[in-house]
């Protein structure tokens, strides 16, 4: 393991569950780096709809362990590897990576540094900006899990509602990579244009009665 791990970091954290006014920026300890972990210096952190639910305590205990405070939110990030655990061989200090991980038990990504298991980390592809990589992880995983749930395979046809949304636009691209024909219901002229650019085979505009 590299020896670059700092002792403290800045984080947006809460001391109890509740509203957004409870989130404050303060110094907190950097989580310990376990044998299979990667420590990332966060440059981009994703902000998602479920963060508000988590902040309110609706996920308390949902992941099989009690919540501890200060509680750092955030499930997505991108940045540079600062340190790795002794069992990690896929990454090294300085690698540009992105990660999608639930914050329990080692804290979230609204922080200067984030620690997560190496299985949750990937190198940033050359065609992606760090901003894109930092916010796409859970949306992409959600879209992929939906396609896997219906058993989508090459030659199938799938209809994607909300095709121009955060998860929908990922679903278009993943479905096309699987070799499927994609029918898209998008939102507005700009949503139709985005869906077309991403490869949808047929698109309707959900805002004007289906005219694309």
């Amino acid at each position: 393991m590299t020896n670059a791990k700092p002792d403290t970091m800045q984080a947006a954290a809460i001391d109890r569950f509740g509203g957004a006014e409870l989130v404050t920026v303060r110094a907190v300890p950097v989580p310990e780096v376990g044998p299979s972990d990667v420590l990332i210096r966060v440059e981009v952190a994703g902000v998602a709809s479920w963060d508000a639910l988590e902040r309110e305590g609706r996920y308390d205990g949902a992941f099989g362990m009690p919540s501890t405070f200060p509680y750092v939110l955030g499930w997505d990030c991108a940045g540079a590897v600062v340190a790795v655990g002794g069992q990690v061989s896929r990454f090294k200090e300085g690698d540009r990576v992105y990660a999608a991980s639930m914050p329990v038990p080692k804290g979230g990504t609204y922080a200067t540094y984030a620690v997560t298991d190496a299985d949750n980390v990937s190198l940033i592809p050359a065609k992606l900006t760090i901003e894109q990589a930092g916010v796409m992880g859970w949306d992409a995983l959600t879209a992929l899990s939906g396609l896997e749930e219906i058993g989508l395979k090459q030659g199938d046809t799938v209809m994607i509602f909300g095709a121009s949304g955060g998860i929908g636009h990922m679903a278009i691209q993943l479905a096309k990579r699987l070799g499927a024909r994609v029918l898209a219901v998008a939102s507005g002229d700009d949503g139709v244009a985005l869906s077309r650019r991403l490869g949808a085979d047929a698109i309707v505009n959900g805002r004007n009665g289906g005219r694309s």
Side-chain angles (χ1 to χ4, degrees):
M1 173 178 160
T2 49
N3 296 315
K5 178 181 177 297
D7 295 324
T8 62
M9 64 181 181
Q10 291 292 298
I14 56 176
D15 293 314
R16 60 185 173 87
F17 293 123
E21 72 279 359
L22 299 177
V23 181
T24 60
V25 178
R26 84 286 291 274
V28 299
V30 175
E32 291 297 321
V33 181
S36 63
D37 288 340
V38 175
L39 174 66
I40 301 167
R41 182 183 293 109
V42 177
E43 298 179 33
V44 176
V47 178
S49 59
W50 54 78
D51 293 342
L53 302 177
E54 186 180 15
R55 188 197 65 233
E56 294 167 356
R58 300 194 194 185
Y59 294 162
D60 187 25
F63 305 119
M65 59 189 68
S67 302
T68 58
F69 298 95
Y71 192 112
V72 181
L73 300 166
W75 292 18
D76 302 283
C77 74
V81 174
V82 174
V84 299
Q87 297 176 4
V88 178
S89 59
R90 292 195 299 123
F91 305 104
K92 63 183 184 303
E93 184 177 352
D95 281 346
R96 307 288 283 175
V97 297
Y98 68 105
S101 174
M102 295 179 184
V104 178
K106 294 195 173 184
T109 59
Y110 288 10
T112 309
Y113 298 93
V115 170
T116 188
D117 191 280
D119 287 345
N120 302 322
V121 182
S122 294
L123 295 172
I124 298 176
K127 292 184 178 181
L128 286 185
T129 68
I130 193 169
E131 291 83 7
Q132 291 169 328
V135 302
M136 78 168 196
W138 274 108
D139 278 358
L141 288 169
T142 301
L144 181 60
S145 66
L147 299 178
E148 290 177 340
E149 180 69 19
I150 64 173
L152 190 71
K153 60 186 182 298
Q154 186 173 356
D156 287 349
T157 298
V158 62
M159 178 174 285
I160 298 173
F161 293 88
S164 54
I167 294 172
H169 88 287
M170 293 285 185
I172 291 175
Q173 297 172 79
L174 292 167
K176 293 303 294 183
R177 287 184 66 87
L178 290 170
R181 180 171 181 259
V182 174
L183 311 179
V185 179
S187 183
D189 293 339
D190 55 345
V192 169
L194 174 63
S195 299
R196 181 174 292 113
R197 180 166 60 85
L198 295 178
D201 298 282
I203 313 150
V204 297
N205 187 340
R207 288 186 181 174
N208 62 5
R211 298 185 301 276
S212 60

